[in-house]
């Protein structure tokens, strides 16, 4: 079983910054990918950023140039540095990890409980 815990959300003024953390623990052989999604009220969940085991990253169009995803493989932790925040970034941010629990090439998708980010003056 894999547990995923997010932290670092909060209230920030427009133009400010926040750093989210996502820690995975449990039966982990390898983490193939770690990603951040977000869901605003009345909207569908959308991909914010993803980082693969080799370090390749991809970002949603709305956050390119403002958000940076990184990971510490030794700690099974991913980070999302969010700069130049806008009110439209307000949402619950969820971490997702794609994990191999054994050496077999089968994976599980694991979600955290989410952390609220509110951008408001």
């Amino acid at each position: 079983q894999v547990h995923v815990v997010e932290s670092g959300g909060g209230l920030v003024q427009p133009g400010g910054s926040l750093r989210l953390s996502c820690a995975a623990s449990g039966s982990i052989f390898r983490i193939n990918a770690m990603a951040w999604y977000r869901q605003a009220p009345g909207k569908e969940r959308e991909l914010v950023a993803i980082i693969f085991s080799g370090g390749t990253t991809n970002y949603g169009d709305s956050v390119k140039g403002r958000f940076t995803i990184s990971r510490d493989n030794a700690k099974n932790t991913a980070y999302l540095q969010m700069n130049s925040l806008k009110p439209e970034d307000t949402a619950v941010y969820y971490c997702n990890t794609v994990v191999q629990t054994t050496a077999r090439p089968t994976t599980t998708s694991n979600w955290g409980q989410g952390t609220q980010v509110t951008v408001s003056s």
Side-chain angles (χ1 to χ4, degrees):
Q1 191 172 3
V2 177
H3 300 279
V4 178
V5 178
E6 305 100 333
S7 61
L11 173 64
V12 62
Q13 291 187 341
S17 298
L18 277 177
R19 188 192 194 208
L20 305 182
S21 298
C22 167
S25 62
S27 301
I28 298 173
F29 175 77
R30 177 165 55 222
I31 299 178
N32 291 351
M34 300 185 80
W36 288 96
Y37 289 77
R38 68 186 182 186
Q39 187 166 20
K43 294 188 177 181
E44 294 186 354
R45 191 172 296 190
E46 64 173 351
L47 176 67
V48 175
I50 186 168
I51 184 166
F52 297 94
S53 57
T56 301
T57 59
N58 281 310
Y59 296 89
D61 288 341
S62 62
V63 306
K64 285 180 181 177
R66 300 187 297 123
F67 291 10
T68 302
I69 189 170
S70 61
R71 63 188 280 180
D72 183 333
N73 290 330
K75 296 182 179 180
N76 290 333
T77 299
Y79 305 96
L80 185 68
Q81 179 65 42
M82 305 185 294
N83 298 329
S84 301
L85 282 161
K86 305 175 181 179
E88 51 263 43
D89 293 317
T90 296
V92 178
Y93 284 69
Y94 296 92
C95 180
N96 176 267
T97 64
V98 179
V99 174
Q100 284 180 242
T101 56
T102 71
R104 299 180 63 186
T106 55
T107 59
T108 61
S109 176
N110 311 276
W111 291 91
Q113 81 289 349
T115 186
Q116 176 70 45
V117 172
T118 302
V119 184
S120 175
S121 55

